[in-house]
Amino acid sequence: MDKRIKSGIDWFERKNWKPFPFQIETWENYLLGHSGLLNAPTGSGKTYALWIAFLISKLDKKPKKGLKFLWILPLRALSKDIQSAMQEATHNFGYDWKIEIRTGDTSTKDRQRQKKTPPDCLITTPESLHLLLSQKKATEYFKNLEAVVVDEWHELLGSKRGIQVELALSSFKEFSLNTIKIWGISATIGNLSEAQKVLLGGNNKQGKFISANFDKEIKIESILPDEVEKYPWAGHLGIKLIDKVLPIINQNKTTLIFTNTRSQTEIWYQQLLNKEPELAGAIAMHHGSLNNHIRTWVEEALHNGRIKVVVCTSSLDLGVDFRPVDTIIQVGGPKGVARFAQRAGRSGHRPGETSKIYFLPTHSLELIEGAALRTAIQKKDFEARIPIQMALDVLLQFMVTLAVGDGFEPDKLFKQIKNTHCYQKLTKKEWSWLLTFLKTGGESLMAYDEYHKTIIEDGKIKVTNKRMSMRHRLSIGTIVGDQVLNVKYVKGGHLGTIEEYFISKLKPGDVFWFSGKALEYVRLKDMTVQVKKSKRKTGLIPQWMGGRMPLSSQLSFHIKQKLENLRLNQLDEIELQCIQPLIERQKALSIVPKADELLIESVISKEGFHIFIFPFEGRFIHEVLAGLIAYRISVSQPITFSIAMNDYGFELLTDEVFDFEEMLSLDLFSLDNLKEDILLGINETEMAKRKFRDIASISGLIFKGFPGKNIKEKHIQASSSILFDVFTEYEPENLLLKQAHREVIEQQLEEERLIKSMRKINQQKIIYNKTNKPTPFAFPIMVDRLREKFSTETLEERVAKMQLQLENI
């Protein structure tokens, strides 16, 4: 045995541990000079797999001074635990090395010190890494770099932050005098091979894949209602089950309660305190809107076992080491198998321990989701993370980052960029456009000096303007949040705030429900949605981004399988037994569709003519499908629809009854002219304009202001809108404009999945049932539409009356 491997094993034994085979395999491959991807669950010892590999590789060697090792994380909250584990091991091996953290929380004094005297190992985030690349003599700073580890790579993959990592790695390969070893650590996702390919770029062929091969047991238990309502509605059941949640909290030392939205987190926190005041001081909240100091305190209190229960969002999904957590409760469908497994893994946070997670449905139909999650996890059917291609806004930001530092040689950088996965298809013509854009602002902006960013000096492209350099360093990053807009009457009177995502899809004249009122959209002006009252009874219902997590295709598939079991009375799971009365009522009023059938139901009520379509493809797909079908019907006859949807289906509601069977004969689900019809059915231009605002911010077209002197959002919105309109009219071939339209189609409208869904529908037999009242499948969609018309209390009363009427008919 290699004596270096033996030293690693000895270190483990001194701690009364035994290294896992995957850890030894990682050490062996590292010592052989390989890069690769390590697939390991949280709490399995992945940090030691790669850090000990680096430590033992330095035995009997005198390491050079300077930065030798980088550990990249998606969240700064993860850095302290990693640093502590690394520092202890380093001292045990007898090295006098500095392991430091560089994130947005690092003080200016510490940053300056790190710049002058680099630590041996730096733990950092993608944004802080690019700040280092923007410094003068960055080439010198990274010249002794030997290895880079990208932790939680599955979280970065498929995002623009992941592209930042790709670009940084491409630079390190050029800057370092060593052959850099690049390793990623990823939880299980559906495309691990592609994840490795993206991480390693042009070096992928030499990469090794190592799996921890832990069959970690995840015990899933659904919290069942005493009685299943035959007419369920979303959000209603969750809080009703709070009496079943309290015993779980009380019998465990520490419990995490995951919700899907920040508003749900706030509601559960308050309701638990109201129900059991003794929890005061032992319960906390954790979500992205909270102050960073509060979040840090919660994380440390969890770590030390000082608090009993934390209600949280995905902000605690990642691998912070919370050893005391006993159990997890997931409120509502997590919408993804990998997300559910990740959250489950927060309990039993050590190799060999069982993870325990409770699934709490927020309405009766979600019980099917609980059964589907169990099967999907047993079969390890995890979602893929699709990498983004050709994000030119991130590339422009990176080019300026290098230009404000030491500068770059265009031909050399082009070859470097082409080795990344994201930009492998970049053409010389596009590269030339990007260089011109940085130099002059392109065709439309060359008359304005502020867009003349770069010059050529000594054969390198550089930014020499100090003010421009400072502005760029303050703007590095790719995280952009959705804007909140004020809703006001044209003649005055403030109604509240709404997310721009929803408003971006509206056209003047569209009616939507907000604050209990039917409102006609007039215009968007200065970050304010101007509206007037409408007498129309139908209208769109706002969809909030936080509550719009799309049902994954994997989970959708397993839900359909469970529906087939229910249809055939194969009730071998407790959730299916519990929901059987609801399914029997669905069968009595309509059908439970087979896997090769598309169920469509229609019903006439006091509200009008309802059409319900059930593809079971998730909210995102249903939103686009609803707009598409509504548009195609409106082409044949003038008609206005109110649209609502959930993960199982969507509703089209109109004031007038029409022959829907005749419409079906016109092939509403045809793939012909699909893209054109979708773009006509939604306000694609406004959606692209919204995307462009983010692209303009990332690419540096718009400056958001200095610390403490941020430019108002309405000015940023106005500036980006002007640029969008200018490019559209005078420079339609502008690559950033094209990117905005492309991102709407590929990311927001999920083009690839939509086409798959449409093909599936075209192979299904359409079952059209005219029912005399709403079915259990249709009822929750109706309630979602009513939600904006009534306060919570009024809605509860209204729904209770509807349920009573329907059950007595």
Side-chain angles (χ1 to χ4, degrees):
M1 180 186 286
D2 187 315
K3 67 175 184 179
R4 294 171 296 178
I5 300 288
K6 180 70 169 61
S7 69
I9 295 171
D10 289 345
W11 180 79
F12 267 74
E13 287 177 349
R14 286 196 297 274
K15 290 188 159 292
N16 295 317
W17 298 344
K18 184 180 178 183
F20 290 105
F22 84 87
Q23 291 171 319
I24 295 175
E25 187 183 352
T26 304
W27 302 344
E28 289 170 344
N29 279 285
Y30 187 93
L31 292 174
L32 289 170
H34 295 306
S35 295
L37 184 70
L38 171 60
N39 171 221
T42 301
S44 61
K46 54 190 173 63
T47 305
Y48 293 131
L50 283 157
W51 183 237
I52 298 297
F54 183 68
L55 293 178
I56 63 176
S57 73
K58 297 288 130 195
L59 291 172
D60 304 325
K61 291 183 182 178
K62 191 175 180 180
K64 294 176 184 176
K65 288 186 176 181
L67 183 66
K68 295 177 276 294
F69 195 97
L70 272 174
W71 194 285
I72 304 171
L73 293 160
L75 286 180
R76 51 192 170 193
L78 309 175
S79 56
K80 289 180 183 175
D81 285 329
I82 298 287
Q83 182 192 32
S84 176
M86 283 182 169
Q87 196 70 70
E88 183 187 358
T90 305
H91 288 320
N92 291 161
F93 273 85
Y95 297 118
D96 185 23
W97 290 353
K98 288 182 180 176
I99 298 163
E100 297 188 7
I101 296 169
R102 168 71 187 258
T103 69
D105 294 334
T106 306
S107 69
T108 304
K109 181 183 175 183
D110 285 342
R111 290 183 190 194
Q112 291 301 321
R113 180 180 49 75
Q114 289 171 352
K115 185 179 174 183
K116 290 177 183 175
T117 311
D120 299 276
C121 169
L122 195 62
I123 301 164
T124 189
T125 59
E127 293 77 17
S128 292
L129 203 53
H130 277 244
L131 267 171
L132 287 169
L133 286 168
S134 74
Q135 305 297 326
K136 301 295 182 187
K137 298 186 179 179
T139 307
E140 185 75 13
Y141 194 83
F142 291 106
K143 72 176 184 180
N144 291 322
L145 191 63
E146 295 181 34
V148 181
V149 170
V150 185
D151 207 345
E152 308 280 1
W153 174 233
H154 59 284
E155 284 293 330
L156 292 166
L157 181 68
S159 72
K160 290 184 178 179
R161 297 182 79 213
I163 298 168
Q164 283 184 291
V165 172
E166 286 186 65
L167 289 168
L169 292 174
S170 74
S171 286
F172 299 150
K173 292 172 189 175
E174 293 295 321
F175 294 170
S176 180
L177 301 174
N178 306 297
T179 301
I180 293 183
K181 290 181 270 293
I182 297 168
W183 282 86
I185 301 171
S186 175
T188 302
I189 52 175
N191 58 332
L192 282 166
S193 176
E194 186 176 32
Q196 177 173 306
K197 186 178 178 182
V198 175
L199 179 72
L200 300 185
N203 301 67
N204 182 53
K205 290 179 182 176
Q206 288 79 42
K208 296 291 180 182
F209 178 76
I210 297 172
S211 178
N213 282 328
F214 284 138
D215 280 329
K216 188 172 179 65
E217 185 184 353
I218 298 177
K219 189 176 179 184
I220 302 167
E221 186 175 325
S222 291
I223 298 172
L224 305 173
D226 293 328
E227 183 182 356
V228 170
E229 291 172 327
K230 297 182 180 68
Y231 288 97
W233 56 287
H236 168 66
L237 184 59
I239 292 297
K240 300 285 183 186
L241 294 174
I242 199 163
D243 286 331
K244 293 179 180 281
V245 170
L246 289 169
I248 297 170
I249 292 172
N250 291 329
Q251 69 192 21
N252 288 288
K253 287 182 180 177
T254 318
T255 302
L256 293 185
I257 300 177
F258 279 105
T259 70
N260 290 335
T261 65
R262 295 172 189 185
S263 58
Q264 274 188 319
T265 298
E266 299 275 353
I267 290 166
W268 270 89
Y269 177 80
Q270 292 297 337
Q271 292 286 345
L272 283 165
L273 267 179
N274 291 343
K275 197 74 177 177
E276 192 152 313
E278 293 82 9
L279 283 173
I283 184 171
M285 266 191 297
H286 193 289
H287 61 68
S289 293
L290 294 175
N291 180 289
N292 184 53
H293 295 299
I294 295 172
R295 295 205 306 270
T296 302
W297 179 87
V298 173
E299 290 157 15
E300 288 174 355
L302 257 178
H303 188 89
N304 299 324
R306 296 200 307 270
I307 49 180
K308 190 171 181 62
V309 57
V310 177
V311 190
C312 55
T313 60
S314 55
S315 59
L316 281 186
D317 273 359
L318 299 181
V320 189
D321 190 12
F322 299 141
R323 285 182 290 273
V325 175
D326 298 312
T327 195
I328 310 294
I329 299 172
Q330 167 67 41
V331 176
K335 310 306 172 192
V337 183
R339 186 182 294 114
F340 190 68
Q342 176 101 359
R343 290 176 175 180
R346 304 306 309 127
S347 75
H349 190 57
R350 289 178 183 235
E353 287 187 15
T354 299
S355 292
K356 180 69 181 283
I357 186 165
Y358 290 89
F359 177 69
L360 188 144
T362 59
H363 64 89
S364 301
L365 279 172
E366 276 189 338
L367 283 164
I368 303 172
E369 213 166 312
L373 283 163
R374 186 182 294 109
T375 301
I377 285 176
Q378 285 171 353
K379 295 187 175 181
K380 298 182 179 178
D381 191 5
F382 297 106
E383 294 83 10
R385 297 286 174 98
I386 309 301
I388 297 171
Q389 297 281 333
M390 295 294 286
L392 300 180
D393 53 344
V394 185
L395 181 52
L396 279 167
Q397 185 186 106
F398 176 65
M399 291 164 73
V400 178
T401 294
L402 296 182
V404 302
D406 297 325
F408 64 86
E409 298 171 36
D411 291 342
K412 192 175 178 182
L413 184 60
F414 178 68
K415 290 177 185 175
Q416 176 187 319
I417 296 300
K418 288 280 286 181
N419 264 327
T420 65
H421 185 272
C422 183
Y423 303 106
Q424 57 189 325
K425 295 178 182 176
L426 186 72
T427 65
K428 271 281 188 184
K429 184 179 178 182
E430 289 165 333
W431 180 245
S432 178
W433 185 92
L434 294 169
L435 292 171
T436 303
F437 187 78
L438 288 183
K439 184 180 179 183
T440 68
E443 292 175 29
S444 306
L445 303 175
M446 61 175 61
Y448 303 93
D449 289 345
E450 67 178 291
Y451 298 108
H452 296 196
K453 293 187 177 180
T454 59
I455 61 165
I456 297 178
E457 189 179 272
D458 301 327
K460 287 187 174 183
I461 289 180
K462 295 183 178 182
V463 173
T464 54
N465 184 299
K466 289 185 178 179
R467 181 177 172 82
M468 201 172 279
S469 297
M470 181 173 65
R471 281 173 52 152
H472 176 75
R473 290 190 178 107
L474 289 169
S475 305
I476 286 175
T478 61
I479 299 173
V480 283
D482 200 64
Q483 299 305 315
V484 177
L485 307 175
N486 290 311
V487 182
K488 289 184 177 179
Y489 288 121
V490 175
K491 295 182 179 179
H494 185 259
L495 291 164
T497 58
I498 197 165
E499 284 184 7
E500 186 198 7
Y501 167 80
F502 174 72
I503 295 299
S504 72
K505 299 181 298 173
L506 301 184
K507 305 183 196 73
D510 284 350
V511 173
F512 65 98
W513 281 91
F514 181 76
S515 190
K517 301 173 179 68
L519 304 172
E520 181 183 328
Y521 173 59
V522 178
R523 68 179 71 87
L524 177 63
K525 185 179 180 182
D526 295 336
M527 301 299 286
T528 299
V529 182
Q530 294 188 344
V531 298
K532 60 184 180 182
K533 286 183 178 179
S534 172
K535 293 181 180 179
R536 284 235 319 260
K537 293 180 180 177
T538 57
L540 298 167
I541 306 299
Q543 296 295 326
W544 301 88
M545 286 298 285
R548 297 184 72 261
M549 293 162 66
L551 189 72
S552 72
S553 53
Q554 277 77 6
L555 195 48
S556 171
F557 169 80
H558 288 287
I559 285 172
K560 290 175 190 172
Q561 295 293 110
K562 297 304 173 187
L563 277 172
E564 182 68 5
N565 291 352
L566 283 162
R567 192 183 68 81
L568 298 172
N569 282 325
Q570 295 173 354
L571 310 175
D572 54 346
E573 290 170 280
I574 187 69
E575 293 89 353
L576 304 188
Q577 294 167 21
C578 187
I579 204 173
Q580 188 186 18
L582 182 151
I583 297 299
E584 290 303 318
R585 194 165 190 86
Q586 175 68 28
K587 288 178 181 176
L589 294 171
S590 179
I591 63 162
V592 174
K594 297 177 183 176
D596 60 353
E597 292 176 341
L598 174 68
L599 174 61
I600 300 176
E601 296 172 353
S602 69
V603 66
I604 299 170
S605 76
K606 291 177 183 177
E607 291 184 287
F609 183 48
H610 309 252
I611 300 160
F612 297 98
I613 302 176
F614 301 101
F616 290 90
E617 289 290 345
R619 187 183 291 273
F620 271 22
I621 298 299
H622 295 161
E623 185 174 12
V624 181
L625 279 178
L628 171 70
I629 302 304
Y631 168 74
R632 286 180 170 176
I633 292 172
S634 69
V635 169
S636 302
Q637 63 182 85
I639 195 167
T640 304
F641 288 105
S642 176
I643 293 172
M645 77 291 297
N646 65 11
D647 280 321
Y648 307 135
F650 59 91
E651 175 198 42
L652 303 176
L653 170 63
T654 179
D655 291 336
E656 50 193 290
V657 179
F658 65 96
D659 190 345
F660 185 66
E661 280 180 289
E662 184 184 338
M663 290 294 155
L664 284 172
S665 68
L666 298 176
D667 205 2
L668 293 176
F669 298 97
S670 170
L671 286 162
D672 296 338
N673 300 316
L674 179 63
K675 194 169 180 178
E676 295 83 351
D677 286 355
I678 286 170
L679 297 183
L680 287 167
I682 61 172
N683 193 354
E684 190 272 343
T685 301
E686 273 303 319
M687 294 174 81
K689 190 176 282 190
R690 174 182 174 274
K691 277 284 180 191
F692 181 78
R693 202 249 340 276
D694 296 342
I695 288 168
S697 295
I698 293 169
S699 63
L701 268 174
I702 292 171
F703 178 57
K704 289 191 171 184
F706 295 98
K709 295 181 180 178
N710 288 348
I711 295 171
K712 289 182 179 179
E713 286 295 343
K714 66 179 181 181
H715 296 312
I716 293 171
Q717 174 69 31
S719 299
S720 68
S721 292
I722 291 167
L723 289 170
F724 182 89
D725 293 339
V726 167
F727 291 157
T728 300
E729 186 169 353
Y730 299 106
E731 195 184 342
E733 294 303 304
N734 184 292
L735 295 185
L736 296 181
L737 181 69
K738 286 187 166 186
Q739 182 184 337
H741 287 285
R742 188 175 70 245
E743 285 189 6
V744 168
I745 300 298
E746 292 176 359
Q747 297 171 29
Q748 208 153 333
L749 303 182
E750 291 194 280
E751 181 183 30
E752 189 177 330
R753 185 175 169 191
L754 178 68
I755 290 170
K756 283 182 184 176
S757 299
M758 289 292 283
R759 284 182 180 147
K760 198 184 301 177
I761 287 171
N762 275 279
Q763 293 168 356
Q764 291 177 323
K765 178 184 177 183
I766 291 178
I767 307 293
Y768 176 42
N769 287 335
K770 298 176 183 177
T771 62
N772 58 8
K773 59 180 175 179
T775 66
F777 282 5
F779 189 78
I781 306 176
M782 287 180 68
V783 176
D784 267 3
R785 181 170 42 73
L786 292 170
R787 198 178 295 277
E788 277 301 316
K789 297 187 182 184
F790 302 97
S791 68
T792 304
E793 295 80 7
T794 314
L795 181 64
E796 290 221 12
E797 292 168 9
R798 169 98 177 180
V799 172
K801 286 178 185 175
M802 288 168 63
Q803 289 172 322
L804 193 62
Q805 288 168 357
L806 290 171
E807 291 187 15
N808 290 335
I809 292 175

